[in-house]
Structure formats: structure tokens, C-alpha cells
Amino acid sequence: MVAQHYILRTAFGGDFSAPARSMLEKGCVVLDVGCGPGTWTMEMSTEFPNSSFIGIDCLNAFPRDIKPKNCHFRTCTVGQQSSTTLASLPFPDNSIDYIFQRDLNLGLQAHMWSPLVKEYLRILKPGGWVELMEPDMETQSSLRNECAMNDKLLYGLSLRQQDPYVGRRLPSILAVNGFRRVESEFQSLPLGWGSSHASPLSSPTQPTHPNASESNPRNPSLPVDLSPPCSEFARAVSSHYLFTLQSLQPWLSAVINISPEKYAATISNLPAEWKQARTYINWHCAVAQKPRTEEPF
């Protein structure tokens, strides 16, 4: 999750997209939902010392002692209370200025999204902002083995009653549940290929070869590698997505009824396929504002 934070920070050009900088500099109350190890929460609380930051997560993986004084953490389950209702968040009405939530879809069933967004509307102050970030659970520009993995993952999510495409629907979920000034963007993250976000000073340059069929000097039987350079960012995205698939193994291998060994062998071959096909994954970000006054739908 720490690696994911810096990947997304690089991809989206900063820690947040909501038009909340002025509010953060003056001082406001910020809620980070699903804060994980608290990386975003602590970075933001350091950058904006006049604001108060609260990170909540169902696991206490966040720091307990070494953290900025304006940064607070607590355990809180954001999810189902019963088969039909969602547990209320432990915050009063109109008490939060800005809500940030990232990568929570694997913890929410599809029917939970609207009630959760309504909870955000309840606890936000009039004029407050919400920002949601979620990935597509299906990669794009995929070859045969990756397509098969996509199908297995989508099948497993359907059994869990989860929406693999909720990232694309974030703007409509916000709009139909009372938010206004809804805006969205997405970024395509390359899985181990290309020069995306490479530093001009540190990225390798592609060598020029007068003869494309020239032999490799280290091994004359192999051709010279004329493939474009790969940025450290693209390598990080590939490594992180592979780790994500590895972390899903205890659940997903049981769902698709293959052994852990076969599952590991299958995903170990995917990075080469990603590079060949120029596979990528989309991350979506949506921001919206709570109306300053009561507005009819």
C-alpha cells in the first residue's frame, strides 16, 4: 500500500485532486477512509499543519506513536452491518470538510456504494469535498494468459457481489446521491513498458543501430534489443500489480480451483506478456462537493 501511494501520487501529479488547497492551508478537518498504513494521512498532515487529519481503517496497521501531532488514527469498519444496511460512520452530521477514499472496492459489495456515499454526504459540512479513487479490476491490451486471469478475477468478484467497474461509475454514484460539481479523470498505468514519468536526467536513451539485424555483441546468436526503454515508474507499476495478484492467491486459487503452485506459476509468466502486449491498468478519480444549501434533485 505504501508503494501504491507513491505510484498513484506520481500518476496523478500529487496527493489530491480536489480543489481543497486553500481550505487545507487555512485549517480544516480531513477524513482518510481506508487509510491503511497511513502514508497519505501523514504526508498531508505534514504539508498542511493547520488542518486536522483522521485516518480510519478496519486494521490498525497505521502508526501509533511516531506521527504528526495533527494526525490521528482509529480503527473503524467501513462496511456491512447487516444484509441490508450499512454501519453508520462514527462522526456527527456536518463535521468533516474533506473526505479522501482510495482503493476500497475489494472491501465493499456493489450495493454498499450508494449508502456509503450518502454517509459521506451526511458527515460532510455544506460545501465540503469528497474524493474517491478506484482501479478497474480488468487490465487493458491483454494477451491470452492475461485475459484468462482477468476472466478468473472477474468471476471471483461476481461471486463476492462486487463491482469490478465501479471506478468508471464513481461520478454517477456521487451525482445520484446528492453531490454536485462532480468531476472525474483517469490515468492509464503501464505494466512494465514505456517511458511514462521517466526523469529526463535519469531515463535511459534508446541506442541507435545502423543495422537493425546487427548481432548482440555478448551473444552473436541473439539480436540486439531494440525495444524502447522502460521507466522506473512503469517497472514499479508492474511489480505492484504482480504483488497484488500474489496477495489474492489464497482466495482466488480456491475460487478457480487450482493449486497454489499452479497459480504462482501462472502469474509469474505474466510480466513478460504485459511488456509484449503493452498492457495497462486504468485508475479513476472522482471529486464532488456537498451543496452549500439544500438543493432539490
Side-chain angles (χ1 to χ4, degrees):
M1 293 185 71
V2 174
Q4 180 195 76
H5 167 76
Y6 289 106
I7 288 170
L8 294 175
R9 179 185 183 187
T10 301
F12 284 87
D15 280 326
F16 62 98
S17 297
R21 179 168 293 276
S22 176
M23 180 171 64
L24 289 164
E25 290 173 346
K26 291 179 181 178
C28 63
V29 180
V30 181
L31 177 63
D32 181 10
V33 181
C35 65
T39 310
W40 184 90
T41 328
M42 289 192 293
E43 280 199 0
M44 290 288 287
S45 60
T46 300
E47 183 177 359
F48 300 103
N50 293 330
S51 291
S52 178
F53 292 80
I54 305 168
I56 60 174
D57 201 286
C58 60
L59 300 176
N60 58 352
F62 39 75
R64 290 179 173 271
D65 301 313
I66 304 176
K67 54 185 177 62
K69 63 180 181 180
N70 60 327
C71 180
H72 313 278
F73 295 104
R74 65 175 72 170
T75 54
C76 175
T77 300
V78 180
Q80 206 166 358
Q81 186 176 36
S82 70
S83 60
T84 57
T85 62
L86 192 86
S88 298
L89 294 172
F91 300 97
D93 295 358
N94 308 315
S95 61
I96 306 294
D97 295 282
Y98 173 35
I99 296 173
F100 181 82
Q101 176 201 301
R102 181 168 64 194
D103 198 17
L104 205 61
N105 193 28
L106 284 176
L108 296 172
Q109 292 183 321
H111 73 272
M112 297 180 185
W113 275 94
S114 285
L116 179 59
V117 167
K118 289 178 180 177
E119 268 293 278
Y120 292 164
L121 192 71
R122 177 185 68 81
I123 66 175
L124 274 174
K125 296 177 183 178
W129 290 91
V130 61
E131 179 170 346
L132 309 177
M133 294 184 69
E134 294 293 336
D136 280 342
M137 300 304 295
E138 179 181 28
T139 58
Q140 304 296 319
S141 184
S142 307
L143 294 181
R144 181 173 62 87
N145 291 329
E146 175 65 13
C147 285
M149 178 57 67
N150 280 334
D151 290 344
K152 294 168 184 174
L153 180 56
L154 297 179
Y155 171 70
L157 293 173
S158 70
L159 296 180
R160 291 162 58 106
Q161 301 179 43
Q162 292 176 315
D163 182 356
Y165 304 110
V166 76
R168 307 175 190 179
R169 301 195 306 107
L170 293 175
S172 61
I173 294 173
L174 290 165
V176 301
N177 286 291
F179 281 92
R180 297 294 180 263
R181 298 181 65 184
V182 181
E183 296 184 2
S184 65
E185 64 173 317
F186 73 93
Q187 296 291 335
S188 298
L189 281 56
L191 295 175
W193 56 270
S195 56
S196 176
H197 295 86
S199 167
L201 298 178
S202 61
S203 60
T205 57
Q206 184 176 354
T208 58
H209 299 280
N211 185 353
S213 61
E214 180 182 356
S215 297
N216 189 318
R218 295 185 179 182
N219 188 339
S221 65
L222 297 176
V224 174
D225 183 8
L226 299 179
S227 61
C230 176
S231 66
E232 290 302 317
F233 172 79
R235 290 191 183 97
V237 175
S238 176
S239 175
H240 181 266
Y241 189 64
L242 182 65
F243 182 83
T244 300
L245 293 178
Q246 291 170 342
S247 71
L248 294 176
Q249 178 271 313
W251 160 68
L252 191 53
S253 63
V255 168
I256 60 181
N257 195 28
I258 65 172
S259 68
E261 294 76 18
K262 185 175 181 181
Y263 182 95
T266 299
I267 65 173
S268 67
N269 295 322
L270 292 179
E273 191 172 285
W274 297 337
K275 185 175 181 180
Q276 178 186 354
R278 300 175 76 84
T279 303
Y280 59 94
I281 188 166
N282 289 329
W283 272 81
H284 301 263
C285 175
V287 300
Q289 187 179 37
K290 178 176 177 176
R292 296 185 181 277
T293 57
E294 293 295 331
E295 297 180 4
F297 284 95

